[in-house]
Amino acid sequence: MEFWVGDSKLLLPALLNHITSQGEPLAFVLIDGDHSTEAVKTDINLFLAHYRPIVPLYLLMHDTFYPPCRQGIL
């Protein structure tokens, strides 16, 4: 097991490229941004731009009832 800690704008593309290059299936993702609209929106867009599922994937969003997070999701 590995833990990658840092700024998601920098780590998320690298992590998703690593997962893809290893051929590892990714079946669960939790997006829990810093509770700002832009951070949530950025994390979602980074994920969608850098990963294509090879198995069924569950994508969950945290704090969806918090207005800034909800706006970022929309």
Side-chain angles (χ1 to χ4, degrees):
M1 181 181 297
E2 290 181 54
F3 291 94
W4 292 37
V5 179
D7 184 342
S8 62
K9 290 184 292 298
L10 303 173
L11 289 182
L12 192 55
L15 174 60
L16 294 171
N17 288 335
H18 173 75
I19 290 169
T20 300
S21 71
Q22 298 297 312
E24 298 174 13
L26 183 60
F28 175 81
V29 172
L30 171 65
I31 294 182
D32 183 11
D34 73 357
H35 300 100
S36 71
T37 299
E38 278 307 307
V40 173
K41 184 177 178 180
T42 297
D43 286 349
I44 293 168
N45 287 333
L46 283 171
F47 178 77
L48 293 175
H50 288 92
Y51 190 74
R52 295 286 178 248
I54 57 175
V55 298
L57 178 123
Y58 292 91
L59 176 63
L60 278 78
M61 311 286 179
H62 190 256
D63 295 319
T64 59
F65 284 98
Y66 183 60
C69 291
R70 172 67 60 132
Q71 191 61 39
I73 292 167
L74 294 175

